[in-house]
Coordinates of all heavy atoms in Angstrom, one line a residue:
M1 N -7.9 -15.0 28.0 CA -7.2 -15.3 26.8 C -8.0 -15.1 25.5 O -7.5 -14.6 24.5 CB -6.7 -16.8 26.9 CG -5.8 -17.2 25.8 SD -4.3 -16.2 25.8 CE -3.2 -17.3 25.1
I2 N -9.3 -15.5 25.6 CA -10.2 -15.3 24.5 C -10.4 -13.8 24.2 O -10.4 -13.4 23.0 CB -11.5 -16.1 24.7 CG1 -11.2 -17.6 24.7 CG2 -12.5 -15.7 23.6 CD1 -12.4 -18.4 25.0
G3 N -10.5 -13.1 25.2 CA -10.6 -11.6 25.1 C -9.4 -11.0 24.3 O -9.6 -10.1 23.5
M4 N -8.2 -11.5 24.7 CA -7.0 -11.0 24.0 C -7.0 -11.4 22.5 O -6.7 -10.5 21.7 CB -5.8 -11.5 24.7 CG -5.5 -10.9 26.1 SD -4.1 -11.6 27.0 CE -2.9 -12.0 25.8
L5 N -7.5 -12.6 22.3 CA -7.5 -13.0 20.9 C -8.5 -12.2 20.1 O -8.2 -11.8 19.0 CB -7.9 -14.5 20.8 CG -7.9 -15.1 19.4 CD1 -6.6 -15.0 18.7 CD2 -8.4 -16.6 19.5
K6 N -9.7 -12.0 20.7 CA -10.7 -11.2 20.0 C -10.2 -9.7 19.7 O -10.4 -9.2 18.6 CB -12.0 -11.1 20.8 CG -12.8 -12.4 20.7 CD -14.1 -12.2 21.5 CE -14.9 -13.5 21.5 NZ -16.1 -13.4 22.2
S7 N -9.5 -9.2 20.7 CA -9.0 -7.8 20.5 C -7.9 -7.8 19.4 O -7.9 -6.9 18.6 CB -8.3 -7.4 21.9 OG -7.7 -6.1 21.7
W8 N -7.1 -8.8 19.4 CA -6.0 -8.9 18.4 C -6.7 -9.0 17.0 O -6.3 -8.3 16.0 CB -5.1 -10.1 18.6 CG -4.0 -10.2 17.6 CD1 -2.8 -9.6 17.5 CD2 -4.1 -11.1 16.5 NE1 -2.1 -10.0 16.4 CE2 -2.9 -10.9 15.8 CE3 -5.0 -12.0 16.0 CZ2 -2.6 -11.6 14.6 CZ3 -4.7 -12.7 14.8 CH2 -3.5 -12.5 14.2
L9 N -7.7 -9.9 16.9 CA -8.4 -10.1 15.6 C -9.0 -8.8 15.1 O -9.0 -8.4 13.9 CB -9.4 -11.2 15.7 CG -8.9 -12.6 15.6 CD1 -10.0 -13.6 15.9 CD2 -8.3 -12.9 14.3
E10 N -9.6 -8.0 16.0 CA -10.3 -6.8 15.6 C -9.2 -5.7 15.2 O -9.5 -5.0 14.2 CB -11.1 -6.2 16.8 CG -11.9 -5.0 16.4 CD -12.7 -5.1 15.1 OE1 -13.3 -6.2 14.8 OE2 -12.6 -4.2 14.3
R11 N -8.1 -5.7 15.9 CA -7.0 -4.8 15.4 C -6.5 -5.2 14.0 O -6.3 -4.3 13.1 CB -5.8 -4.8 16.4 CG -6.0 -4.0 17.6 CD -4.8 -3.8 18.4 NE -4.0 -5.0 18.7 CZ -4.2 -5.8 19.7 NH1 -5.1 -5.5 20.6 NH2 -3.5 -6.8 19.9
R12 N -6.4 -6.4 13.7 CA -6.0 -6.9 12.4 C -7.0 -6.6 11.4 O -6.7 -6.2 10.2 CB -5.7 -8.4 12.4 CG -4.6 -8.9 13.4 CD -3.2 -8.2 13.1 NE -2.8 -8.3 11.7 CZ -1.9 -7.6 11.1 NH1 -1.3 -6.7 11.8 NH2 -1.6 -7.8 9.9
R13 N -8.3 -6.7 11.7 CA -9.3 -6.4 10.7 C -9.4 -4.9 10.5 O -9.6 -4.5 9.3 CB -10.7 -6.8 11.3 CG -10.9 -8.3 11.3 CD -12.3 -8.7 11.8 NE -12.4 -10.2 11.8 CZ -12.7 -10.9 12.9 NH1 -13.0 -10.3 14.0 NH2 -12.8 -12.2 12.8
A14 N -9.1 -4.1 11.5 CA -9.1 -2.6 11.3 C -7.9 -2.2 10.4 O -8.1 -1.4 9.5 CB -9.0 -1.9 12.6
I15 N -6.8 -2.9 10.5 CA -5.6 -2.6 9.7 C -6.0 -3.0 8.2 O -5.7 -2.2 7.3 CB -4.4 -3.4 10.2 CG1 -3.9 -2.8 11.5 CG2 -3.3 -3.4 9.1 CD1 -2.9 -3.6 12.2
R16 N -6.6 -4.2 8.1 CA -7.0 -4.6 6.7 C -8.0 -3.7 6.1 O -7.8 -3.3 4.9 CB -7.6 -6.0 6.8 CG -7.9 -6.6 5.4 CD -8.5 -8.0 5.4 NE -7.6 -8.9 6.1 CZ -7.9 -9.5 7.2 NH1 -9.0 -9.3 7.9 NH2 -7.0 -10.4 7.8
R17 N -8.9 -3.2 6.8 CA -9.9 -2.3 6.3 C -9.3 -1.0 5.8 O -9.6 -0.4 4.8 CB -11.0 -2.0 7.3 CG -12.0 -3.1 7.5 CD -13.2 -2.6 8.3 NE -12.9 -2.3 9.7 CZ -12.9 -3.1 10.7 NH1 -13.2 -4.4 10.6 NH2 -12.5 -2.7 11.9
R18 N -8.2 -0.5 6.6 CA -7.6 0.7 6.2 C -6.8 0.6 4.9 O -7.0 1.5 4.0 CB -6.6 1.1 7.3 CG -7.2 1.8 8.5 CD -6.2 2.5 9.4 NE -5.3 1.7 10.0 CZ -5.5 1.1 11.2 NH1 -6.6 1.2 11.8 NH2 -4.5 0.3 11.7
W19 N -6.0 -0.5 4.7 CA -5.3 -0.6 3.4 C -6.3 -0.9 2.2 O -6.1 -0.4 1.1 CB -4.1 -1.4 3.4 CG -4.2 -2.8 3.9 CD1 -3.8 -3.3 5.1 CD2 -4.6 -4.0 3.1 NE1 -4.0 -4.7 5.1 CE2 -4.4 -5.1 4.0 CE3 -5.1 -4.2 1.8 CZ2 -4.8 -6.4 3.6 CZ3 -5.4 -5.5 1.4 CH2 -5.2 -6.6 2.3
Q20 N -7.4 -1.6 2.5 CA -8.3 -1.8 1.4 C -9.0 -0.5 1.1 O -9.3 -0.3 -0.1 CB -9.4 -2.9 1.9 CG -8.8 -4.3 1.9 CD -9.8 -5.3 2.6 OE1 -10.6 -4.9 3.4 NE2 -9.6 -6.5 2.1
A21 N -9.3 0.3 2.0 CA -10.0 1.6 1.8 C -9.0 2.5 1.0 O -9.4 3.2 0.1 CB -10.4 2.3 3.1
E22 N -7.7 2.5 1.3 CA -6.8 3.3 0.6 C -6.7 2.8 -0.9 O -6.6 3.7 -1.8 CB -5.4 3.2 1.2 CG -5.3 3.9 2.6 CD -5.2 5.4 2.5 OE1 -5.3 6.0 1.4 OE2 -5.0 6.0 3.6
A23 N -6.7 1.5 -1.1 CA -6.6 1.0 -2.4 C -7.8 1.4 -3.2 O -7.7 1.9 -4.4 CB -6.5 -0.5 -2.4
R24 N -9.0 1.4 -2.6 CA -10.3 1.8 -3.3 C -10.2 3.3 -3.6 O -10.6 3.8 -4.7 CB -11.5 1.5 -2.5 CG -11.8 0.0 -2.5 CD -13.2 -0.3 -1.9 NE -13.3 0.2 -0.5 CZ -12.9 -0.5 0.6 NH1 -12.5 -1.8 0.4 NH2 -13.1 0.0 1.8
R25 N -9.7 4.1 -2.7 CA -9.5 5.5 -2.9 C -8.6 5.8 -4.1 O -8.9 6.7 -5.0 CB -9.0 6.2 -1.7 CG -8.9 7.7 -1.8 CD -8.3 8.4 -0.6 NE -6.9 7.9 -0.3 CZ -5.8 8.3 -0.9 NH1 -5.8 9.2 -1.8 NH2 -4.6 7.8 -0.5
L26 N -7.5 5.1 -4.1 CA -6.5 5.3 -5.2 C -7.1 5.0 -6.6 O -7.0 5.7 -7.6 CB -5.2 4.5 -5.0 CG -4.3 5.0 -3.9 CD1 -3.2 4.0 -3.6 CD2 -3.8 6.4 -4.2
V27 N -7.9 3.9 -6.6 CA -8.6 3.5 -7.8 C -9.6 4.5 -8.3 O -9.7 4.8 -9.4 CB -9.2 2.1 -7.7 CG1 -10.1 1.7 -8.8 CG2 -8.1 1.0 -7.5
R28 N -10.4 5.0 -7.3 CA -11.4 6.1 -7.6 C -10.7 7.3 -8.2 O -11.2 7.9 -9.1 CB -12.1 6.5 -6.4 CG -13.4 5.7 -6.1 CD -14.3 6.3 -5.1 NE -13.6 6.8 -3.9 CZ -13.3 6.1 -2.8 NH1 -13.6 4.9 -2.7 NH2 -12.6 6.7 -1.8
E29 N -9.6 7.7 -7.6 CA -8.9 9.0 -8.0 C -8.3 8.8 -9.4 O -8.4 9.8 -10.2 CB -7.8 9.4 -7.0 CG -8.4 9.9 -5.7 CD -7.4 10.1 -4.7 OE1 -6.2 9.9 -4.9 OE2 -7.7 10.6 -3.6
D30 N -7.6 7.7 -9.7 CA -7.0 7.5 -11.0 C -6.7 6.0 -11.1 O -5.6 5.6 -10.8 CB -5.7 8.3 -11.1 CG -5.0 8.3 -12.4 OD1 -5.6 7.6 -13.3 OD2 -4.0 8.9 -12.6
E31 N -7.6 5.3 -11.7 CA -7.5 3.9 -11.8 C -6.3 3.4 -12.5 O -5.6 2.5 -12.1 CB -8.8 3.3 -12.4 CG -8.8 1.8 -12.4 CD -10.1 1.2 -12.9 OE1 -11.0 1.9 -13.3 OE2 -10.2 -0.1 -12.8
R32 N -6.0 4.1 -13.6 CA -4.9 3.6 -14.4 C -3.5 3.7 -13.7 O -2.7 2.9 -13.8 CB -4.8 4.4 -15.7 CG -3.9 3.9 -16.8 CD -4.0 4.7 -18.1 NE -3.6 6.1 -17.9 CZ -2.3 6.4 -17.8 NH1 -1.3 5.6 -17.9 NH2 -2.0 7.7 -17.7
C33 N -3.4 4.8 -12.9 CA -2.1 5.0 -12.2 C -2.1 4.6 -10.7 O -1.2 4.9 -10.0 CB -1.7 6.5 -12.3 SG -1.4 7.0 -14.0
A34 N -3.2 4.0 -10.3 CA -3.4 3.7 -8.8 C -2.2 2.8 -8.3 O -1.7 3.0 -7.2 CB -4.7 3.1 -8.6
Y35 N -1.9 1.8 -9.1 CA -0.9 0.8 -8.6 C 0.5 1.5 -8.5 O 1.2 1.4 -7.5 CB -0.7 -0.3 -9.6 CG 0.3 -1.4 -9.2 CD1 0.0 -2.3 -8.2 CD2 1.5 -1.4 -9.8 CE1 0.9 -3.3 -7.8 CE2 2.5 -2.3 -9.4 CZ 2.2 -3.3 -8.4 OH 3.1 -4.2 -8.1
D36 N 0.8 2.4 -9.5 CA 2.1 3.1 -9.4 C 2.1 4.1 -8.2 O 3.1 4.2 -7.5 CB 2.3 3.9 -10.7 CG 2.7 3.0 -11.8 OD1 3.0 1.8 -11.6 OD2 2.5 3.5 -13.0
Q37 N 1.0 4.7 -7.9 CA 0.9 5.6 -6.8 C 1.1 4.9 -5.5 O 1.8 5.3 -4.6 CB -0.5 6.4 -6.8 CG -0.6 7.4 -5.7 CD 0.4 8.5 -5.7 OE1 1.0 8.8 -6.7 NE2 0.6 9.1 -4.6
A38 N 0.4 3.7 -5.3 CA 0.6 2.9 -4.1 C 2.1 2.5 -4.0 O 2.6 2.5 -2.9 CB -0.3 1.7 -4.1
Q39 N 2.7 2.1 -5.1 CA 4.1 1.7 -5.0 C 5.0 2.9 -4.7 O 6.0 2.8 -3.9 CB 4.5 1.1 -6.4 CG 4.0 -0.2 -6.6 CD 4.6 -1.3 -5.7 OE1 5.6 -1.1 -5.0 NE2 4.0 -2.5 -5.8
R40 N 4.6 4.1 -5.2 CA 5.4 5.3 -4.8 C 5.3 5.6 -3.3 O 6.3 5.9 -2.7 CB 4.9 6.5 -5.6 CG 5.6 7.8 -5.4 CD 5.1 8.9 -6.3 NE 5.6 8.7 -7.6 CZ 4.8 8.2 -8.7 NH1 3.5 8.0 -8.5 NH2 5.4 8.0 -9.8
L41 N 4.1 5.4 -2.8 CA 4.0 5.7 -1.3 C 4.7 4.6 -0.5 O 5.3 4.9 0.5 CB 2.5 5.7 -1.0 CG 1.8 7.0 -1.6 CD1 0.3 6.8 -1.5 CD2 2.2 8.2 -0.8
A42 N 4.7 3.4 -1.0 CA 5.5 2.3 -0.3 C 7.0 2.6 -0.4 O 7.7 2.4 0.6 CB 5.1 0.9 -1.0
A43 N 7.4 3.0 -1.5 CA 8.9 3.3 -1.7 C 9.3 4.5 -0.8 O 10.4 4.5 -0.2 CB 9.2 3.6 -3.1
R44 N 8.4 5.5 -0.7 CA 8.7 6.6 0.1 C 8.8 6.2 1.6 O 9.7 6.6 2.3 CB 7.6 7.7 0.0 CG 7.9 9.0 0.7 CD 6.9 10.1 0.3 NE 7.1 10.4 -1.1 CZ 6.1 10.9 -1.8 NH1 5.0 11.2 -1.3 NH2 6.3 11.1 -3.1
A45 N 7.9 5.4 2.0 CA 7.9 4.9 3.4 C 9.2 4.1 3.7 O 9.8 4.2 4.7 CB 6.6 4.0 3.7
R46 N 9.5 3.3 2.7 CA 10.8 2.5 2.8 C 12.0 3.4 2.9 O 12.9 3.2 3.8 CB 10.9 1.6 1.6 CG 12.2 0.7 1.6 CD 12.2 -0.2 0.4 NE 13.5 -0.8 0.3 CZ 14.0 -1.2 -0.9 NH1 13.3 -1.1 -2.0 NH2 15.2 -1.7 -0.9
A47 N 12.0 4.5 2.1 CA 13.1 5.4 2.2 C 13.2 6.1 3.5 O 14.3 6.5 4.0 CB 13.0 6.4 1.0
E48 N 12.1 6.3 4.1 CA 12.0 6.9 5.4 C 12.1 6.0 6.6 O 11.9 6.3 7.8 CB 10.6 7.7 5.6 CG 10.5 8.8 4.6 CD 9.1 9.4 4.5 OE1 8.2 8.9 5.2 OE2 8.9 10.4 3.9
D49 N 12.4 4.7 6.3 CA 12.6 3.6 7.3 C 11.3 3.5 8.2 O 11.4 3.2 9.4 CB 13.8 3.9 8.2 CG 15.1 3.6 7.5 OD1 15.1 2.7 6.6 OD2 16.1 4.2 7.8
S50 N 10.1 3.6 7.5 CA 8.9 3.3 8.2 C 8.3 2.0 7.8 O 7.6 1.9 6.8 CB 7.9 4.5 7.9 OG 6.7 4.2 8.6
G51 N 8.7 1.0 8.5 CA 8.2 -0.4 8.2 C 6.7 -0.6 8.1 O 6.2 -1.2 7.3
S52 N 6.0 0.0 9.1 CA 4.6 -0.2 9.1 C 3.9 0.5 8.0 O 3.0 0.0 7.4 CB 4.0 0.3 10.5 OG 4.2 1.7 10.7
K53 N 4.4 1.7 7.6 CA 3.8 2.4 6.5 C 4.1 1.7 5.2 O 3.3 1.6 4.3 CB 4.3 3.9 6.4 CG 3.7 4.8 7.3 CD 4.2 6.2 7.1 CE 3.7 7.2 8.0 NZ 4.2 8.6 7.8
F54 N 5.4 1.2 5.1 CA 5.8 0.4 3.9 C 4.8 -0.8 3.7 O 4.3 -1.0 2.6 CB 7.2 0.0 4.0 CG 7.6 -1.0 2.9 CD1 7.8 -0.6 1.6 CD2 7.6 -2.4 3.2 CE1 8.1 -1.4 0.6 CE2 8.0 -3.3 2.2 CZ 8.2 -2.8 0.9
A55 N 4.6 -1.5 4.8 CA 3.7 -2.7 4.7 C 2.3 -2.3 4.3 O 1.6 -2.9 3.5 CB 3.7 -3.4 6.0
H56 N 1.8 -1.2 4.9 CA 0.5 -0.7 4.6 C 0.4 -0.4 3.1 O -0.6 -0.9 2.4 CB 0.2 0.6 5.4 CG -1.0 1.3 5.0 ND1 -2.3 1.0 5.4 CD2 -1.2 2.4 4.1 CE1 -3.2 1.8 4.9 NE2 -2.5 2.7 4.1
W57 N 1.3 0.4 2.5 CA 1.2 0.7 1.1 C 1.5 -0.4 0.2 O 0.9 -0.5 -0.9 CB 2.1 2.0 0.8 CG 1.5 3.2 1.4 CD1 2.0 3.9 2.5 CD2 0.2 3.8 1.1 NE1 1.1 4.9 2.8 CE2 0.0 4.9 1.9 CE3 -0.7 3.5 0.1 CZ2 -1.1 5.7 1.8 CZ3 -1.9 4.4 0.0 CH2 -2.0 5.4 0.9
A58 N 2.4 -1.3 0.6 CA 2.6 -2.5 -0.3 C 1.3 -3.4 -0.3 O 1.0 -3.9 -1.4 CB 3.7 -3.3 0.3
K59 N 0.6 -3.5 0.8 CA -0.7 -4.2 0.8 C -1.7 -3.5 0.0 O -2.5 -4.1 -0.8 CB -1.2 -4.4 2.2 CG -0.3 -5.4 3.0 CD -0.8 -5.5 4.4 CE 0.2 -6.3 5.3 NZ -0.2 -6.4 6.6
A60 N -1.7 -2.2 0.0 CA -2.6 -1.4 -0.8 C -2.4 -1.6 -2.3 O -3.3 -1.7 -3.1 CB -2.6 0.1 -0.4
A61 N -1.1 -1.6 -2.6 CA -0.7 -1.9 -4.0 C -1.2 -3.2 -4.5 O -1.8 -3.4 -5.6 CB 0.8 -1.7 -4.2
A62 N -1.0 -4.2 -3.6 CA -1.5 -5.6 -4.0 C -3.0 -5.6 -4.1 O -3.6 -6.2 -5.0 CB -1.1 -6.6 -2.9
E63 N -3.7 -4.8 -3.3 CA -5.2 -4.8 -3.4 C -5.6 -4.0 -4.6 O -6.6 -4.4 -5.3 CB -5.7 -4.0 -2.1 CG -7.2 -3.9 -2.1 CD -7.9 -5.3 -1.9 OE1 -7.3 -6.3 -1.7 OE2 -9.2 -5.3 -1.9
V64 N -4.9 -3.0 -5.0 CA -5.2 -2.3 -6.3 C -5.1 -3.3 -7.4 O -5.9 -3.4 -8.3 CB -4.3 -1.1 -6.5 CG1 -4.4 -0.6 -8.0 CG2 -4.6 0.0 -5.6
A65 N -4.0 -4.1 -7.4 CA -3.8 -5.1 -8.5 C -4.9 -6.1 -8.5 O -5.4 -6.6 -9.6 CB -2.5 -5.8 -8.3
R66 N -5.4 -6.4 -7.3 CA -6.5 -7.4 -7.2 C -7.9 -6.9 -7.7 O -8.6 -7.6 -8.4 CB -6.7 -7.9 -5.8 CG -7.6 -9.0 -5.6 CD -7.8 -9.4 -4.1 NE -8.6 -8.5 -3.4 CZ -9.9 -8.4 -3.5 NH1 -10.6 -9.3 -4.3 NH2 -10.7 -7.6 -2.8
I67 N -8.2 -5.6 -7.4 CA -9.5 -5.1 -7.7 C -9.6 -4.3 -9.0 O -10.7 -4.1 -9.5 CB -10.0 -4.2 -6.5 CG1 -9.2 -2.9 -6.4 CG2 -10.1 -5.0 -5.3 CD1 -9.7 -1.9 -5.4
S68 N -8.5 -3.9 -9.6 CA -8.6 -3.1 -10.8 C -8.0 -3.7 -12.0 O -6.7 -3.9 -12.1 CB -7.9 -1.8 -10.5 OG -7.9 -1.0 -11.7
P69 N -8.8 -4.1 -13.0 CA -8.3 -4.6 -14.2 C -7.6 -3.6 -15.1 O -6.8 -3.9 -16.0 CB -9.5 -5.2 -14.9 CG -10.6 -4.4 -14.4 CD -10.3 -4.0 -13.0
R70 N -7.8 -2.3 -14.8 CA -7.3 -1.3 -15.7 C -6.0 -0.7 -15.1 O -5.3 0.1 -15.8 CB -8.3 -0.2 -15.9 CG -9.5 -0.6 -16.7 CD -10.5 0.5 -17.0 NE -9.8 1.7 -17.5 CZ -10.2 2.9 -17.2 NH1 -11.1 3.1 -16.4 NH2 -9.5 3.9 -17.7
A71 N -5.6 -1.0 -13.9 CA -4.4 -0.4 -13.3 C -3.2 -0.9 -14.1 O -3.0 -2.1 -14.4 CB -4.3 -0.8 -11.9
E72 N -2.3 0.0 -14.5 CA -1.1 -0.4 -15.2 C 0.0 -0.9 -14.2 O 0.2 -0.2 -13.2 CB -0.6 0.8 -16.0 CG -1.5 1.1 -17.1 CD -1.0 2.3 -18.0 OE1 0.0 2.9 -17.7 OE2 -1.8 2.7 -18.9
M73 N 0.6 -2.0 -14.5 CA 1.6 -2.5 -13.6 C 2.8 -2.9 -14.4 O 2.8 -4.0 -15.1 CB 1.0 -3.7 -12.9 CG -0.1 -3.4 -11.9 SD -0.9 -4.8 -11.2 CE -2.1 -5.1 -12.4
D74 N 3.8 -2.1 -14.5 CA 5.0 -2.3 -15.2 C 6.2 -2.3 -14.3 O 6.4 -1.3 -13.6 CB 5.1 -1.2 -16.3 CG 6.4 -1.3 -17.1 OD1 6.7 -2.4 -17.5 OD2 7.1 -0.3 -17.2
L75 N 6.9 -3.4 -14.3 CA 8.1 -3.5 -13.3 C 9.1 -2.5 -13.5 O 9.6 -2.0 -12.5 CB 8.7 -4.9 -13.5 CG 9.7 -5.3 -12.5 CD1 9.2 -5.2 -11.0 CD2 10.3 -6.7 -12.7
A76 N 9.4 -2.1 -14.7 CA 10.4 -1.0 -15.0 C 9.9 0.3 -14.4 O 10.7 1.0 -13.8 CB 10.6 -0.8 -16.5
T77 N 8.6 0.6 -14.5 CA 8.1 1.8 -13.9 C 8.2 1.8 -12.3 O 8.6 2.8 -11.7 CB 6.6 2.1 -14.3 OG1 6.6 2.1 -15.7 CG2 6.1 3.3 -13.7
V78 N 7.9 0.6 -11.8 CA 8.0 0.5 -10.3 C 9.4 0.6 -9.9 O 9.7 1.3 -8.9 CB 7.4 -0.9 -9.9 CG1 7.6 -1.1 -8.4 CG2 5.9 -0.9 -10.1
Q79 N 10.3 0.0 -10.6 CA 11.8 0.2 -10.2 C 12.2 1.6 -10.3 O 13.0 2.1 -9.4 CB 12.6 -0.7 -11.1 CG 14.1 -0.8 -10.7 CD 14.2 -1.3 -9.3 OE1 13.7 -2.4 -9.0 NE2 14.9 -0.6 -8.4
A80 N 11.8 2.3 -11.3 CA 12.1 3.8 -11.4 C 11.6 4.6 -10.3 O 12.2 5.5 -9.7 CB 11.6 4.3 -12.8
I81 N 10.4 4.2 -9.8 CA 9.7 4.9 -8.7 C 10.5 4.7 -7.5 O 10.9 5.6 -6.7 CB 8.3 4.4 -8.5 CG1 7.4 5.0 -9.7 CG2 7.7 4.8 -7.2 CD1 6.0 4.3 -9.7
V82 N 10.9 3.4 -7.2 CA 11.7 3.0 -6.0 C 13.0 3.8 -6.0 O 13.4 4.3 -5.0 CB 11.8 1.5 -5.9 CG1 12.9 1.1 -4.9 CG2 10.5 0.8 -5.7
D83 N 13.7 3.7 -7.2 CA 15.0 4.4 -7.3 C 14.9 5.9 -7.0 O 15.7 6.4 -6.2 CB 15.6 4.2 -8.6 CG 16.0 2.7 -8.9 OD1 16.1 2.0 -7.9 OD2 16.2 2.4 -10.1
A84 N 13.9 6.5 -7.5 CA 13.7 8.0 -7.3 C 13.4 8.2 -5.8 O 13.9 9.2 -5.3 CB 12.6 8.5 -8.2
E85 N 12.5 7.5 -5.2 CA 12.2 7.7 -3.8 C 13.4 7.4 -2.9 O 13.6 8.1 -1.9 CB 11.0 6.8 -3.4 CG 9.7 7.3 -4.0 CD 9.3 8.7 -3.5 OE1 9.7 9.1 -2.4 OE2 8.6 9.4 -4.3
L86 N 14.2 6.4 -3.2 CA 15.4 6.1 -2.4 C 16.4 7.3 -2.5 O 17.0 7.7 -1.5 CB 16.0 4.8 -2.8 CG 15.2 3.6 -2.3 CD1 15.8 2.3 -2.8 CD2 14.9 3.5 -0.8
R87 N 16.6 7.8 -3.7 CA 17.5 8.9 -3.9 C 16.9 10.1 -3.2 O 17.7 10.9 -2.5 CB 17.6 9.3 -5.4 CG 18.6 8.5 -6.1 CD 18.9 9.0 -7.5 NE 17.8 9.3 -8.3 CZ 17.2 8.4 -9.1 NH1 17.6 7.1 -9.1 NH2 16.1 8.7 -9.8
R88 N 15.6 10.4 -3.2 CA 15.0 11.5 -2.5 C 15.2 11.4 -1.0 O 15.4 12.3 -0.3 CB 13.5 11.5 -2.9 CG 12.7 12.6 -2.3 CD 11.3 12.5 -2.8 NE 10.4 13.4 -2.0 CZ 9.7 13.0 -0.9 NH1 9.8 11.8 -0.5 NH2 9.0 13.9 -0.3
G89 N 15.1 10.1 -0.5 CA 15.3 9.9 0.9 C 16.7 9.8 1.4 O 17.0 9.6 2.5
G90 N 17.7 10.0 0.4 CA 19.1 10.0 0.8 C 19.7 8.6 0.8 O 20.8 8.4 1.4
R91 N 19.0 7.6 0.3 CA 19.5 6.2 0.3 C 19.7 5.8 -1.1 O 19.1 6.3 -2.0 CB 18.5 5.3 1.0 CG 18.4 5.6 2.5 CD 17.3 4.8 3.1 NE 17.5 3.3 2.9 CZ 16.6 2.4 3.3 NH1 15.5 2.8 3.8 NH2 16.8 1.1 3.1
S92 N 20.6 4.8 -1.3 CA 20.8 4.3 -2.7 C 20.8 2.8 -2.7 O 20.5 2.1 -1.9 CB 22.2 4.8 -3.2 OG 23.2 4.5 -2.3

């Protein structure tokens, strides 16, 4: 039982390291637009009905917001991104 718990914890840590690394990469590439880019990727995953990818990118967006004081976060922009991605994916 303890082995299963350790294995589960390591999988969870690996998942966390992946979205944190993605957030840092987005910030390095374009800090100001990193949050919007993560939201765009989350919306695209949502439009494609990929729940695990959606969760990954939503967590990456939250991490960008946490680590970057320069990232722009405007709700209207995020809503426009989501609407565009849902239209692109054939959903409304």
Side-chain angles (χ1 to χ4, degrees):
M1 185 64 150
I2 291 175
M4 287 174 36
L5 180 59
K6 285 182 180 180
S7 177
W8 180 83
L9 282 173
E10 185 49 42
R11 281 193 309 273
R12 298 303 307 163
R13 287 181 183 127
I15 291 168
R16 182 179 304 114
R17 283 190 299 267
R18 281 194 297 271
W19 53 259
Q20 287 172 333
E22 291 285 5
R24 287 190 302 271
R25 180 184 60 81
L26 289 172
V27 169
R28 270 193 319 272
E29 289 175 359
D30 185 358
E31 185 172 5
R32 194 176 62 77
C33 296
Y35 182 78
D36 291 341
Q37 181 61 20
Q39 287 290 351
R40 179 173 289 106
L41 292 164
R44 185 171 299 157
R46 179 177 168 209
E48 294 170 354
D49 284 330
S50 178
S52 61
K53 282 184 181 179
F54 171 76
H56 170 84
W57 288 111
K59 290 175 187 178
E63 182 70 2
V64 167
R66 188 183 75 76
I67 66 174
S68 176
R70 293 185 49 219
E72 293 181 359
M73 293 172 274
D74 178 46
L75 186 57
T77 301
V78 172
Q79 188 60 51
I81 289 168
V82 170
D83 291 344
E85 288 298 330
L86 289 177
R87 278 192 307 277
R88 181 177 168 267
R91 294 172 58 186
S92 50

